[in-house]
Amino acid sequence: MSPRLNYMQQSSDLFKKLSTLSMGVKASGIESGILYLVDIRASQLNGCAFCLDMHIKQAKIGGERELRLHHVAIWRESPLFSERERAALAWTEALTRLGEHGVSDSDYAAALEQFSEKELSDLTFAVGIINLWNRLNIAFRNVPGSLDKAFGLERAELA
């Protein structure tokens, strides 16, 4: 796979704004561990190799255990996730795999059992943003690991 165009350079103003929005979500108060799980799961569902690679490395640097990283794909069967994390992963799947009828009332109610309205709103922004990043990186075929040095991801020591 070879990269197509560099959207970060071609649309630098939009890239900067999306990056700023991403940083705003990280400062929203939702636990960083949950945000890592959201980024990883959406990237798995969308098949975004660049983002999946990056967010696994970020999670490891952030202190996430490797076994939990392996279990994100099987989170429903795994005993390694809290109820709050499970709710975030279910919400991520509901929004990433939007069906013909949108998000069900039961999915919404389940998410509200674990998150306040403000947190659920912030979480929804997080899911929307990672889905946009996934689409950008898939469309323009960014190569996994190609920006590790620029983002300081070599510290994950996963190469």
Side-chain angles (χ1 to χ4, degrees):
M1 177 172 81
S2 58
R4 290 178 172 159
L5 63 81
N6 184 332
Y7 69 86
M8 296 172 215
Q9 288 178 345
Q10 295 300 317
S11 302
S12 61
D13 288 342
L14 294 173
F15 170 73
K16 288 174 191 169
K17 289 176 182 177
L18 183 57
S19 296
T20 299
L21 185 59
S22 293
M23 296 309 293
V25 165
K26 292 189 184 334
S28 70
I30 294 178
E31 304 94 298
S32 61
I34 286 179
L35 294 175
Y36 292 138
L37 295 176
V38 165
D39 288 346
I40 291 166
R41 187 63 184 138
S43 298
Q44 287 174 336
L45 294 171
N46 289 322
C48 184
F50 178 86
C51 291
L52 183 58
D53 177 82
M54 179 174 69
H55 295 300
I56 285 174
K57 290 172 182 171
Q58 287 175 332
K60 185 162 185 301
I61 290 168
E64 186 58 77
R65 296 186 339 241
E66 285 190 49
L67 184 58
R68 281 174 39 97
L69 295 173
H70 291 291
H71 277 223
V72 173
I74 57 162
W75 68 269
R76 290 182 193 277
E77 293 81 22
S78 175
L80 302 180
F81 301 100
S82 70
E83 289 305 310
R84 186 169 165 87
E85 291 168 332
R86 289 175 183 287
L89 289 164
W91 190 246
T92 300
E93 288 185 1
L95 294 173
T96 300
R97 294 177 168 161
L98 275 177
E100 179 181 342
H101 302 290
V103 177
S104 72
D105 289 341
S106 62
D107 286 340
Y108 177 72
L112 274 178
E113 287 180 21
Q114 294 296 321
F115 294 94
S116 69
E117 289 183 354
K118 164 78 166 78
E119 289 172 327
L120 188 56
S121 180
D122 291 346
L123 183 62
T124 303
F125 270 93
V127 175
I129 291 165
I130 188 56
N131 275 283
L132 177 53
W133 284 119
N134 288 167
R135 280 148 180 77
L136 287 165
N137 286 297
I138 290 168
F140 300 118
R141 294 185 178 163
N142 276 339
V143 177
S146 62
L147 295 176
D148 280 4
K149 191 168 190 113
F151 293 156
L153 298 176
E154 69 278 357
R155 294 178 300 153
E157 298 179 0
L158 289 174

